Coordinates of all heavy atoms in Angstrom, one line a residue:
M1 N -4.1 -9.2 15.9 CA -4.9 -8.3 15.1 C -6.3 -8.9 14.9 O -6.4 -10.1 14.6 CB -4.1 -8.2 13.8 CG -4.9 -7.2 12.8 SD -3.9 -6.9 11.2 CE -2.7 -5.7 11.6
K2 N -7.2 -8.0 14.9 CA -8.6 -8.4 14.8 C -8.9 -8.9 13.4 O -8.2 -8.5 12.4 CB -9.6 -7.4 15.2 CG -9.6 -7.1 16.6 CD -10.5 -6.0 16.9 CE -10.6 -5.5 18.5 NZ -11.4 -4.5 18.7
A3 N -9.8 -9.9 13.2 CA -10.2 -10.5 11.9 C -10.6 -9.4 10.9 O -10.2 -9.4 9.7 CB -11.2 -11.5 11.9
N4 N -11.3 -8.4 11.3 CA -11.9 -7.5 10.5 C -10.8 -6.5 10.0 O -10.7 -6.1 8.8 CB -13.0 -6.6 11.2 CG -13.7 -5.7 10.3 OD1 -13.8 -5.9 9.1 ND2 -14.2 -4.6 10.8
A5 N -9.8 -6.1 10.9 CA -8.7 -5.4 10.5 C -7.9 -6.0 9.5 O -7.2 -5.5 8.6 CB -7.9 -4.9 11.8
M6 N -7.7 -7.4 9.8 CA -6.8 -8.1 8.9 C -7.5 -8.3 7.4 O -6.8 -8.2 6.5 CB -6.8 -9.6 9.4 CG -5.6 -10.4 8.8 SD -4.1 -9.6 8.9 CE -3.1 -10.7 8.0
S7 N -8.8 -8.3 7.5 CA -9.5 -8.5 6.2 C -9.3 -7.2 5.4 O -9.2 -7.1 4.1 CB -11.0 -9.0 6.2 OG -11.7 -8.1 7.0
E8 N -9.4 -6.0 6.2 CA -9.3 -4.7 5.5 C -7.7 -4.6 4.9 O -7.6 -4.1 3.7 CB -9.5 -3.6 6.5 CG -9.2 -2.2 5.9 CD -10.3 -1.9 4.7 OE1 -11.3 -2.5 4.5 OE2 -9.9 -0.9 4.1
L9 N -6.9 -5.0 5.7 CA -5.3 -5.0 5.3 C -5.2 -5.9 4.1 O -4.6 -5.4 3.1 CB -4.6 -5.6 6.5 CG -3.1 -5.5 6.2 CD1 -2.6 -4.2 6.2 CD2 -2.4 -6.4 7.2
A10 N -5.8 -7.0 3.9 CA -5.8 -7.9 2.8 C -6.3 -7.1 1.6 O -5.8 -7.2 0.5 CB -6.4 -9.1 3.1
R11 N -7.5 -6.5 1.8 CA -8.2 -5.7 0.8 C -7.3 -4.6 0.2 O -7.1 -4.5 -1.0 CB -9.6 -5.1 1.1 CG -10.7 -6.2 1.2 CD -12.1 -5.6 1.3 NE -12.2 -5.0 2.6 CZ -12.7 -5.4 3.7 NH1 -12.9 -6.8 3.7 NH2 -12.8 -4.8 4.9
V12 N -6.8 -3.9 1.0 CA -5.9 -2.8 0.7 C -4.6 -3.3 -0.1 O -4.1 -2.8 -1.0 CB -5.4 -1.9 1.8 CG1 -4.5 -0.8 1.4 CG2 -6.7 -1.4 2.4
A13 N -4.1 -4.5 0.4 CA -2.9 -5.1 -0.2 C -3.2 -5.6 -1.6 O -2.4 -5.4 -2.5 CB -2.5 -6.3 0.6
K14 N -4.5 -6.1 -1.8 CA -4.8 -6.4 -3.1 C -4.9 -5.3 -4.1 O -4.4 -5.2 -5.3 CB -6.1 -7.2 -3.1 CG -6.0 -8.6 -2.8 CD -7.4 -9.2 -2.7 CE -7.3 -10.7 -2.1 NZ -8.6 -11.3 -2.2
T15 N -5.3 -4.2 -3.5 CA -5.4 -2.9 -4.3 C -4.1 -2.4 -4.7 O -3.7 -2.1 -5.9 CB -6.1 -1.7 -3.5 OG1 -7.6 -2.2 -3.2 CG2 -6.1 -0.4 -4.1
I16 N -3.1 -2.5 -3.7 CA -1.6 -2.0 -3.9 C -1.1 -3.0 -5.0 O -0.5 -2.5 -5.9 CB -0.9 -2.1 -2.6 CG1 -1.4 -0.9 -1.8 CG2 0.5 -2.0 -2.9 CD1 -0.8 -1.1 -0.3
D17 N -1.3 -4.3 -4.9 CA -0.8 -5.2 -5.9 C -1.3 -4.8 -7.3 O -0.5 -4.9 -8.3 CB -1.2 -6.6 -5.5 CG -0.4 -7.6 -6.5 OD1 0.7 -7.4 -6.7 OD2 -1.2 -8.5 -6.9
R18 N -2.5 -4.3 -7.5 CA -3.0 -4.0 -8.7 C -2.5 -2.7 -9.3 O -2.3 -2.5 -10.5 CB -4.6 -3.9 -8.7 CG -5.3 -5.3 -8.8 CD -6.8 -5.2 -8.9 NE -7.4 -4.2 -8.1 CZ -7.9 -4.5 -6.8 NH1 -7.9 -5.8 -6.5 NH2 -8.5 -3.6 -6.2
L19 N -2.1 -1.7 -8.3 CA -1.8 -0.5 -8.7 C -0.3 -0.2 -8.8 O 0.0 0.6 -9.8 CB -2.3 0.6 -7.6 CG -3.7 0.7 -7.4 CD1 -4.0 1.6 -6.3 CD2 -4.3 1.4 -8.7
V20 N 0.5 -1.0 -8.2 CA 2.0 -0.7 -8.2 C 2.5 -0.9 -9.5 O 2.2 -2.1 -10.2 CB 2.7 -1.4 -7.2 CG1 4.2 -1.5 -7.5 CG2 2.4 -1.0 -5.8
R21 N 3.4 -0.1 -10.1 CA 4.0 -0.3 -11.4 C 5.4 0.2 -11.3 O 5.6 1.1 -10.5 CB 3.3 0.3 -12.5 CG 3.1 1.9 -12.4 CD 2.3 2.4 -13.5 NE 2.2 3.9 -13.6 CZ 1.8 4.8 -12.7 NH1 1.3 4.2 -11.6 NH2 1.8 5.9 -12.8
P22 N 6.4 -0.3 -12.1 CA 7.8 0.2 -11.9 C 7.8 1.8 -12.2 O 7.2 2.2 -13.1 CB 8.5 -0.6 -13.0 CG 7.8 -1.8 -13.2 CD 6.2 -1.3 -13.0
G23 N 8.6 2.3 -11.3 CA 8.9 3.8 -11.5 C 7.8 4.7 -10.7 O 8.0 5.9 -10.8
M24 N 6.8 4.1 -10.2 CA 5.7 4.7 -9.5 C 6.3 5.4 -8.3 O 7.2 4.8 -7.5 CB 4.6 3.8 -9.2 CG 3.5 4.4 -8.5 SD 2.1 3.3 -8.2 CE 0.7 4.2 -8.5
K25 N 5.8 6.6 -7.9 CA 6.3 7.4 -6.8 C 5.4 7.0 -5.6 O 4.2 6.8 -5.9 CB 6.3 8.8 -7.1 CG 7.2 9.2 -8.1 CD 7.4 10.7 -8.4 CE 8.4 10.9 -9.6 NZ 8.5 12.3 -9.9
P26 N 5.9 7.1 -4.5 CA 5.0 6.8 -3.2 C 3.9 7.6 -3.2 O 2.7 7.2 -2.9 CB 6.0 7.1 -2.1 CG 7.4 6.7 -2.6 CD 7.3 7.2 -4.1
K27 N 4.0 8.9 -3.5 CA 2.9 9.9 -3.4 C 1.7 9.5 -4.4 O 0.6 9.6 -4.1 CB 3.3 11.3 -3.9 CG 2.4 12.4 -3.7 CD 3.1 13.8 -4.1 CE 2.0 14.8 -4.0 NZ 2.6 16.1 -4.4
E28 N 2.2 8.9 -5.6 CA 1.2 8.5 -6.6 C 0.4 7.3 -6.0 O -0.8 7.2 -6.1 CB 1.9 8.0 -7.9 CG 2.4 9.2 -8.6 CD 3.3 8.7 -9.8 OE1 4.1 7.8 -9.7 OE2 3.1 9.4 -10.9
L29 N 1.2 6.3 -5.3 CA 0.5 5.2 -4.9 C -0.4 5.6 -3.7 O -1.6 5.1 -3.7 CB 1.6 4.3 -4.3 CG 0.9 3.0 -3.6 CD1 0.2 2.1 -4.6 CD2 1.9 2.0 -2.8
I30 N 0.1 6.5 -2.8 CA -0.9 6.8 -1.8 C -2.1 7.5 -2.3 O -3.3 7.2 -1.8 CB -0.1 7.8 -0.8 CG1 1.1 7.0 -0.1 CG2 -1.1 8.5 0.1 CD1 1.9 8.0 0.7
A31 N -2.0 8.3 -3.3 CA -3.3 9.0 -3.8 C -4.1 8.0 -4.5 O -5.4 8.0 -4.4 CB -2.8 10.1 -4.8
A32 N -3.7 7.0 -5.2 CA -4.4 6.1 -6.0 C -5.2 5.1 -4.9 O -6.2 4.7 -5.1 CB -3.4 5.2 -6.9
V33 N -4.4 4.7 -3.9 CA -5.0 3.8 -2.9 C -6.1 4.5 -2.2 O -7.1 3.9 -1.9 CB -3.9 3.3 -1.8 CG1 -4.7 2.6 -0.7 CG2 -3.0 2.3 -2.5
R34 N -6.0 5.8 -1.9 CA -6.9 6.7 -1.1 C -8.2 6.8 -2.1 O -9.3 7.2 -1.5 CB -6.3 8.0 -0.7 CG -5.4 7.7 0.6 CD -5.0 9.0 1.1 NE -4.2 8.8 2.4 CZ -3.3 9.6 2.9 NH1 -3.0 10.7 2.3 NH2 -2.8 9.2 4.0
K35 N -8.2 6.7 -3.3 CA -9.3 6.7 -4.2 C -10.2 5.6 -3.9 O -11.5 5.7 -4.0 CB -8.9 6.9 -5.7 CG -8.3 8.3 -6.1 CD -8.0 8.2 -7.6 CE -7.4 9.6 -7.9 NZ -7.1 9.6 -9.3
K36 N -9.6 4.4 -3.7 CA -10.4 3.2 -3.5 C -10.7 3.1 -1.8 O -11.7 2.5 -1.6 CB -9.5 2.0 -3.9 CG -9.2 2.0 -5.3 CD -10.4 1.4 -6.2 CE -9.8 1.2 -7.5 NZ -10.8 0.8 -8.5
H37 N -9.8 3.6 -1.1 CA -10.0 3.4 0.4 C -9.8 4.8 1.0 O -8.6 5.1 1.5 CB -8.9 2.5 0.9 CG -8.9 1.2 0.3 ND1 -9.7 0.2 0.7 CD2 -8.0 0.7 -0.8 CE1 -9.5 -0.9 -0.1 NE2 -8.6 -0.6 -1.0
P38 N -10.8 5.7 1.0 CA -10.7 7.1 1.3 C -10.2 7.5 2.7 O -9.5 8.4 2.9 CB -12.0 7.7 1.0 CG -12.8 6.7 0.4 CD -12.1 5.3 0.6
N39 N -10.4 6.7 3.7 CA -10.1 7.0 5.2 C -8.9 6.4 5.6 O -8.5 6.4 6.8 CB -11.3 6.7 6.0 CG -12.5 7.5 5.7 OD1 -12.4 8.7 5.4 ND2 -13.8 6.9 5.7
I40 N -8.0 5.8 4.6 CA -6.8 5.1 5.0 C -5.7 6.1 5.3 O -5.5 7.1 4.7 CB -6.5 4.1 4.0 CG1 -5.6 3.1 4.6 CG2 -6.0 4.6 2.7 CD1 -5.4 1.7 3.8
S41 N -4.9 5.7 6.3 CA -3.6 6.5 6.6 C -2.5 6.0 5.8 O -2.5 4.9 5.3 CB -3.4 6.4 8.1 OG -2.9 5.1 8.5
K42 N -1.4 6.9 5.7 CA -0.2 6.4 5.1 C 0.4 5.2 5.8 O 0.9 4.2 5.2 CB 0.8 7.5 5.1 CG 2.1 7.2 4.5 CD 3.2 8.2 4.7 CE 4.5 7.5 4.5 NZ 5.4 7.6 5.5
K43 N 0.3 5.1 7.1 CA 0.9 4.1 7.9 C 0.1 2.7 7.5 O 0.8 1.7 7.4 CB 0.7 4.3 9.4 CG 1.2 3.2 10.4 CD 1.1 3.7 11.8 CE 1.7 2.7 12.6 NZ 1.6 3.0 14.1
E44 N -1.2 2.8 7.4 CA -1.9 1.6 7.0 C -1.6 1.2 5.6 O -1.6 0.0 5.2 CB -3.4 1.8 7.2 CG -3.9 2.1 8.6 CD -5.3 2.6 8.7 OE1 -5.6 3.5 7.9 OE2 -6.0 2.0 9.5
I45 N -1.5 2.1 4.7 CA -1.0 1.8 3.3 C 0.5 1.2 3.3 O 0.6 0.2 2.6 CB -0.9 3.2 2.5 CG1 -2.4 3.7 2.3 CG2 -0.3 2.8 1.0 CD1 -2.4 5.0 1.6
T46 N 1.2 1.7 4.0 CA 2.5 1.0 4.2 C 2.5 -0.4 4.8 O 3.2 -1.3 4.2 CB 3.5 1.9 5.1 OG1 3.6 3.3 4.6 CG2 4.9 1.3 5.2
R47 N 1.6 -0.6 5.7 CA 1.6 -1.9 6.3 C 1.0 -2.8 5.3 O 1.4 -4.0 5.1 CB 0.6 -1.8 7.4 CG 0.6 -2.9 8.4 CD -0.3 -2.7 9.6 NE 0.5 -1.9 10.5 CZ -0.1 -1.0 11.3 NH1 -1.3 -0.8 11.3 NH2 0.6 -0.3 12.1
A48 N -0.1 -2.4 4.6 CA -0.5 -3.2 3.5 C 0.3 -3.5 2.2 O 0.3 -4.6 1.7 CB -1.9 -2.5 3.0
A49 N 1.3 -2.5 2.0 CA 2.2 -2.8 1.1 C 3.2 -4.0 1.4 O 3.5 -4.7 0.7 CB 3.0 -1.5 0.7
F50 N 3.6 -4.0 2.7 CA 4.5 -4.9 3.2 C 3.7 -6.3 3.1 O 4.3 -7.4 2.9 CB 5.1 -4.6 4.5 CG 6.3 -3.8 4.4 CD1 6.2 -2.4 4.8 CD2 7.5 -4.3 3.8 CE1 7.3 -1.6 4.6 CE2 8.6 -3.4 3.7 CZ 8.5 -2.1 4.2
Y51 N 2.5 -6.3 3.4 CA 1.5 -7.5 3.4 C 1.5 -8.0 2.0 O 1.6 -9.3 1.7 CB 0.1 -7.1 4.0 CG -0.7 -8.4 4.1 CD1 -0.5 -9.3 5.1 CD2 -1.7 -8.7 3.0 CE1 -1.4 -10.5 5.2 CE2 -2.4 -9.7 3.2 CZ -2.4 -10.6 4.1 OH -3.2 -11.7 4.2
A52 N 1.3 -7.1 1.0 CA 1.4 -7.4 -0.4 C 2.6 -8.0 -0.9 O 2.7 -9.1 -1.6 CB 1.1 -6.2 -1.4
V53 N 3.7 -7.7 -0.3 CA 5.2 -8.3 -0.5 C 5.1 -9.7 0.0 O 5.5 -10.6 -0.7 CB 6.2 -7.5 0.2 CG1 7.6 -8.4 0.0 CG2 6.4 -6.1 -0.5
I54 N 4.6 -10.0 1.2 CA 4.6 -11.3 1.7 C 3.8 -12.2 0.9 O 4.0 -13.3 0.6 CB 4.1 -11.3 3.2 CG1 5.1 -10.5 4.1 CG2 3.8 -12.7 3.8 CD1 4.6 -10.1 5.4
V55 N 2.5 -11.8 0.5 CA 1.6 -12.6 -0.2 C 2.3 -13.0 -1.7 O 2.2 -14.1 -2.1 CB 0.3 -11.9 -0.5 CG1 -0.6 -12.7 -1.4 CG2 -0.5 -11.8 0.9
A56 N 2.9 -11.9 -2.2 CA 3.6 -12.2 -3.6 C 4.8 -13.3 -3.4 O 4.8 -14.1 -4.2 CB 4.1 -10.9 -4.1
A57 N 5.4 -13.0 -2.3 CA 6.6 -14.0 -2.0 C 6.0 -15.4 -1.9 O 6.7 -16.4 -2.4 CB 7.3 -13.7 -0.9
E58 N 5.0 -15.5 -1.2 CA 4.3 -16.9 -1.0 C 3.9 -17.6 -2.3 O 3.9 -18.7 -2.4 CB 3.1 -16.8 0.0 CG 3.6 -16.5 1.5 CD 2.4 -16.3 2.4 OE1 1.2 -16.2 1.9 OE2 2.6 -16.4 3.6
Q59 N 3.5 -16.6 -3.1 CA 2.9 -17.1 -4.4 C 4.1 -17.2 -5.4 O 3.8 -17.5 -6.5 CB 1.9 -16.2 -5.0 CG 0.6 -16.3 -4.0 CD -0.4 -15.2 -4.4 OE1 -0.2 -14.2 -5.3 NE2 -1.6 -15.2 -3.8
K60 N 5.2 -16.8 -5.0 CA 6.5 -16.9 -5.9 C 6.2 -16.0 -7.2 O 6.6 -16.3 -8.2 CB 6.8 -18.3 -6.3 CG 7.1 -19.2 -5.2 CD 7.7 -20.6 -5.6 CE 7.9 -21.4 -4.5 NZ 8.3 -21.2 -3.2
S61 N 5.6 -14.9 -6.9 CA 5.2 -13.9 -8.0 C 6.6 -13.2 -8.3 O 7.4 -12.9 -7.5 CB 4.3 -12.9 -7.4 OG 4.1 -11.8 -8.3
D62 N 6.6 -12.7 -9.6 CA 7.8 -11.9 -10.1 C 7.5 -10.5 -9.6 O 8.4 -9.7 -9.9 CB 7.8 -12.0 -11.6 CG 6.6 -11.6 -12.3 OD1 5.5 -11.5 -11.7 OD2 6.7 -11.5 -13.6
R63 N 6.4 -10.1 -9.0 CA 6.3 -8.7 -8.5 C 6.8 -8.5 -7.2 O 6.7 -7.2 -6.7 CB 4.7 -8.5 -8.5 CG 4.1 -8.6 -10.0 CD 2.8 -8.0 -10.1 NE 2.3 -7.1 -9.3 CZ 2.6 -5.6 -9.5 NH1 3.3 -5.4 -10.6 NH2 2.0 -4.7 -8.8
V64 N 7.4 -9.4 -6.5 CA 8.0 -9.2 -5.3 C 8.9 -8.0 -5.1 O 8.7 -7.0 -4.2 CB 8.7 -10.4 -4.6 CG1 9.3 -10.3 -3.3 CG2 7.7 -11.5 -4.5
S65 N 9.8 -7.9 -6.0 CA 10.9 -6.8 -6.1 C 10.2 -5.5 -6.2 O 10.5 -4.5 -5.5 CB 11.8 -7.1 -7.2 OG 12.9 -6.0 -7.2
D66 N 9.2 -5.4 -7.1 CA 8.5 -4.1 -7.4 C 7.8 -3.6 -6.1 O 7.8 -2.6 -5.7 CB 7.6 -4.0 -8.5 CG 8.3 -4.2 -9.9 OD1 9.5 -3.7 -10.0 OD2 7.7 -4.6 -10.9
L67 N 7.0 -4.7 -5.6 CA 6.2 -4.4 -4.3 C 7.1 -4.0 -3.2 O 6.8 -3.0 -2.3 CB 5.3 -5.6 -4.0 CG 4.2 -5.8 -5.0 CD1 3.6 -7.2 -4.9 CD2 3.1 -4.8 -4.7
H68 N 8.1 -4.7 -3.0 CA 9.2 -4.4 -1.9 C 9.6 -3.0 -2.0 O 9.8 -2.2 -1.0 CB 10.2 -5.5 -1.7 CG 11.2 -5.2 -0.6 ND1 12.3 -4.6 -0.7 CD2 10.9 -5.6 0.8 CE1 12.7 -4.5 0.5 NE2 12.0 -5.1 1.4
D69 N 10.1 -2.7 -3.1 CA 10.6 -1.3 -3.3 C 9.6 -0.3 -3.0 O 9.9 0.7 -2.4 CB 11.1 -1.2 -4.9 CG 11.7 0.2 -5.2 OD1 12.7 0.5 -4.4 OD2 11.2 0.8 -6.1
M70 N 8.5 -0.4 -3.5 CA 7.4 0.6 -3.2 C 7.0 0.6 -1.7 O 6.9 1.7 -1.2 CB 6.2 0.2 -4.0 CG 5.0 1.2 -3.8 SD 5.5 2.9 -4.1 CE 5.8 3.0 -5.9
A71 N 7.0 -0.5 -1.1 CA 6.7 -0.6 0.4 C 7.8 0.2 1.2 O 7.5 1.1 2.0 CB 6.6 -1.9 0.9
V72 N 9.0 0.0 0.9 CA 10.1 0.7 1.5 C 10.0 2.2 1.3 O 10.2 3.0 2.1 CB 11.5 0.2 1.1 CG1 12.7 1.0 1.6 CG2 11.6 -1.3 1.6
R73 N 9.9 2.5 0.0 CA 9.9 4.0 -0.3 C 8.7 4.6 0.1 O 8.8 5.8 0.6 CB 10.0 4.1 -2.0 CG 11.4 3.9 -2.6 CD 11.5 4.1 -3.9 NE 10.5 3.5 -4.8 CZ 9.8 4.1 -5.7 NH1 10.0 5.5 -6.0 NH2 9.0 3.5 -6.4
T74 N 7.4 3.9 0.4 CA 6.4 4.5 0.8 C 6.5 4.9 2.3 O 6.2 5.8 2.9 CB 5.1 3.7 0.7 OG1 4.9 3.6 -0.9 CG2 3.8 4.3 1.3
R75 N 7.0 3.8 3.0 CA 7.4 3.9 4.5 C 8.3 5.1 4.8 O 8.0 5.8 5.9 CB 8.0 2.6 4.9 CG 8.4 2.7 6.6 CD 9.2 1.5 7.0 NE 10.5 1.6 6.3 CZ 11.3 0.6 6.2 NH1 11.0 -0.6 6.8 NH2 12.5 0.7 5.6
N76 N 9.3 5.3 3.9 CA 10.2 6.5 4.1 C 9.8 7.8 3.5 O 10.5 8.8 3.8 CB 11.5 6.1 3.5 CG 12.2 4.9 4.3 OD1 11.9 4.7 5.5 ND2 12.9 4.0 3.6
S77 N 8.6 7.7 2.9 CA 8.2 9.1 2.3 C 7.3 10.0 3.3 O 6.8 9.3 4.1 CB 7.4 8.9 1.0 OG 6.1 8.4 1.4
P78 N 7.5 11.3 3.0 CA 6.6 12.1 4.0 C 5.1 12.0 3.4 O 4.9 11.8 2.3 CB 7.1 13.5 3.8 CG 7.8 13.4 2.4 CD 8.4 12.1 2.3
D79 N 4.2 12.1 4.4 CA 2.8 12.0 4.0 C 2.4 13.5 3.8 O 2.1 14.3 4.7 CB 1.9 11.3 5.1 CG 0.5 11.2 4.7 OD1 0.1 11.5 3.4 OD2 -0.3 10.8 5.4
E80 N 2.3 13.9 2.6 CA 1.9 15.2 2.1 C 0.5 15.6 2.1 O 0.1 16.5 1.9 CB 2.6 15.6 0.8 CG 4.1 15.5 0.9 CD 4.8 15.7 -0.5 OE1 4.2 16.1 -1.4 OE2 5.9 15.5 -0.6
T81 N -0.3 14.4 2.4 CA -1.8 14.6 2.3 C -2.4 14.1 3.5 O -2.9 12.9 3.7 CB -2.4 13.8 1.1 OG1 -1.6 14.1 0.0 CG2 -3.8 14.2 0.9
P82 N -2.4 15.0 4.6 CA -3.2 14.5 5.8 C -4.5 14.2 5.6 O -5.2 14.8 4.8 CB -2.9 15.8 6.7 CG -1.8 16.7 6.2 CD -1.9 16.3 4.7
L83 N -5.0 13.3 6.5 CA -6.4 12.9 6.3 C -7.3 14.0 6.5 O -8.4 14.1 5.9 CB -6.8 11.8 7.4 CG -6.1 10.3 7.2 CD1 -6.3 9.5 8.4 CD2 -6.7 9.7 5.9
D84 N -7.1 14.9 7.3 CA -7.9 16.2 7.5 C -8.1 17.1 6.4 O -9.0 17.8 6.2 CB -7.6 16.8 8.7 CG -7.7 16.0 10.0 OD1 -8.3 15.0 10.0 OD2 -7.0 16.4 11.0
D85 N -7.1 17.1 5.4 CA -7.1 18.0 4.3 C -7.6 17.5 3.1 O -7.7 18.1 2.1 CB -5.6 18.5 4.0 CG -5.0 19.2 5.2 OD1 -5.7 19.7 6.1 OD2 -3.8 19.4 5.3
R86 N -8.2 16.2 3.1 CA -8.7 15.6 1.9 C -10.2 15.9 1.8 O -11.0 16.2 2.6 CB -8.4 14.1 1.8 CG -7.0 13.8 1.5 CD -6.9 12.4 1.3 NE -6.7 11.8 2.6 CZ -7.4 10.7 2.9 NH1 -8.1 10.1 2.1 NH2 -7.2 10.1 4.1

């Protein structure tokens, strides 16, 4: 992965870490992330969510479970907001 792509992934992961809360729906997360990163795809959001899980686990954060749950649910959710329709 290129350094620029990795740094963008890290920025989105930080955004996700700040936004995820218990009970949040994947659709809510996708919409909130797209407010900060307008041209991001659902696939990129999902990838960044799993990256956020890895970072939280390395830091022994208590947020690992919440982040992992959201990453899995986001990966399995339909993307109801195509990039072209925003």
Side-chain angles (χ1 to χ4, degrees):
M1 184 176 278
K2 294 182 179 178
N4 191 28
M6 192 63 178
S7 62
E8 178 63 18
L9 181 71
R11 282 193 293 274
V12 176
K14 285 181 183 180
T15 299
I16 290 170
D17 186 44
R18 285 192 307 270
L19 294 172
V20 168
R21 63 188 189 291
M24 184 178 215
K25 295 180 181 179
K27 186 176 177 179
E28 294 173 313
L29 176 66
I30 292 167
V33 170
R34 285 182 172 161
K35 285 182 182 177
K36 302 271 186 189
H37 307 275
N39 296 319
I40 195 164
S41 69
K42 179 192 160 234
K43 183 177 180 177
E44 292 168 318
I45 293 171
T46 300
R47 192 174 288 143
F50 280 106
Y51 184 79
V53 171
I54 293 166
V55 171
E58 288 175 346
Q59 297 173 350
K60 301 188 184 332
S61 171
D62 57 350
R63 296 194 31 83
V64 173
S65 181
D66 290 338
L67 288 166
H68 183 264
D69 179 54
M70 181 55 70
V72 170
R73 290 187 306 131
T74 301
R75 178 187 63 197
N76 295 331
S77 73
D79 186 2
E80 299 173 8
T81 313
L83 290 172
D84 297 339
D85 291 346
R86 286 187 280 133

